[in-house]
Amino acid sequence: MNLILFGPPGAGKGTQSSFLVESEKMFQLSTGDLLRAELKSGSDLSKQLKEIMDAGKLVSDDIINNLIEKKISDPSVKNNIIFDGFPRNLEQAKSLDDMLDKYNQKISAIINLKVDYSVLVKRISGRVSCSICKKPFNEFFDPPVEPNNCSNNKCDSRELIKRSDDNESTVTNRLKTYDDQTLPILDYYRKKGIVKDVDAMKAINEVTGEIKSIISNL
Ligand code: AMP
């Protein structure tokens, strides 16, 4: 089963993916995480990427499709992928279909995390994650048990980090990019009959419960 977690920045795609990775042993494919890993390399490409990401715009489809194909073609994650933050426009959605065809796979469902935009800026500005295991927290809604301490036994991190594009002005641009380019692709998937709407204004564990119940009925 391959899933797409869909929704605006701050809807909880990363948080819910991390639960599915744990409980369903699925593989999270976050294009944002892959790009942030590239940023750390300090290459010329990474400087261009940072500029685009800090402006809240989309990185070129060629770069993204390349990153995605490397993962889709990996037999160890075949039919067990959660797409998080991809596809982000119609071209990417069509390329994804082509790539999945090529590797004999398909999308089972698009989990559409529905949230009121009014809460997104606060959700995003409170967002931090563990520097080692990437576990997400929110300073307002889901703080760590001890400040700056990832209480995840798998790692021993004392450092929670904030993304450079999680600031108010970039968020506004990211939401506009989402409205203009990403939201319209829901129609593409609705026509295929695979969109499952989830009320993502609910508590994190309730949203997880709804997603698990959708998955068990696929
Ligand atoms: P995210 O972590 O998904 O919020 O992505 C952070 C930033 O990375 C976005 O604002 C975009 O600049 C870039 N990005 C992530 N995924 C994609 C994608 N599928 N297509 C284009 N740009 C992306």
Side-chain angles (χ1 to χ4, degrees):
M1 170 182 66
N2 292 316
L3 299 175
I4 295 176
L5 277 191
F6 192 87
K13 301 187 293 295
T15 302
Q16 296 301 334
S17 296
S18 69
F19 288 126
L20 294 177
V21 167
E22 253 181 69
S23 68
E24 312 297 314
K25 307 289 171 240
M26 292 184 79
F27 175 81
Q28 178 189 10
L29 207 178
S30 155
T31 39
D33 283 351
L34 293 174
L35 292 167
R36 280 184 287 280
E38 179 64 35
L39 291 189
K40 288 192 185 139
S41 74
S43 64
D44 281 350
L45 173 65
S46 76
K47 284 173 202 136
Q48 288 170 33
L49 291 178
K50 184 162 172 29
E51 228 168 81
I52 297 169
M53 291 166 76
D54 283 346
K57 295 184 179 159
L58 293 186
V59 169
S60 84
D61 293 339
D62 282 352
I63 292 177
I64 297 292
N65 290 337
N66 230 329
L67 290 173
I68 289 284
E69 183 154 13
K70 275 190 196 141
K71 299 288 177 186
I72 291 182
S73 59
D74 176 353
S76 71
V77 299
K78 185 170 180 176
N79 273 324
N80 201 24
I81 304 175
I82 308 161
F83 293 95
D84 163 6
F86 174 87
R88 282 273 227 287
N89 60 29
L90 196 56
E91 285 70 29
Q92 291 183 9
K94 290 181 176 167
S95 302
L96 176 62
D97 280 350
D98 292 344
M99 280 189 255
L100 289 171
D101 264 359
K102 183 170 162 191
Y103 296 100
N104 290 319
Q105 300 183 56
K106 68 179 179 92
I107 295 294
S108 300
I110 318 292
I111 311 288
N112 179 31
L113 299 175
K114 294 174 67 173
V115 275
D116 295 346
Y117 282 20
S118 57
V119 302
L120 291 179
V121 173
K122 193 160 185 199
R123 274 194 185 186
I124 294 171
S125 55
R127 196 150 78 166
V128 286
S129 65
C130 172
S131 62
I132 296 176
C133 73
K134 311 280 180 256
K135 182 176 161 60
F137 295 92
N138 191 291
E139 287 162 344
F140 305 117
F141 305 113
D142 179 28
V145 179
E146 286 174 45
N148 236 357
N149 187 339
C150 175
S151 52
N152 181 342
N153 293 331
K154 280 189 223 142
C155 80
D156 191 24
S157 172
R158 295 287 178 274
E159 189 191 19
L160 301 182
I161 49 177
K162 207 173 185 61
R163 286 168 40 174
S164 71
D165 60 347
D166 276 350
N167 61 70
E168 208 166 322
S169 73
T170 306
V171 169
T172 310
N173 291 339
R174 284 160 66 197
L175 286 175
K176 186 170 176 344
T177 303
Y178 176 80
D179 271 343
D180 293 346
Q181 299 187 55
T182 309
L183 193 55
I185 65 177
L186 256 193
D187 272 350
Y188 174 78
Y189 289 115
R190 285 207 195 276
K191 284 183 190 134
K192 293 176 184 274
I194 54 172
V195 177
K196 309 284 178 191
D197 294 305
V198 170
D199 177 1
M201 294 294 284
K202 291 186 179 163
I204 292 175
N205 60 339
E206 288 179 75
V207 177
T208 310
E210 269 191 48
I211 296 175
K212 283 189 183 168
S213 119
I214 290 171
I215 292 175
S216 63
N217 287 313
L218 286 176

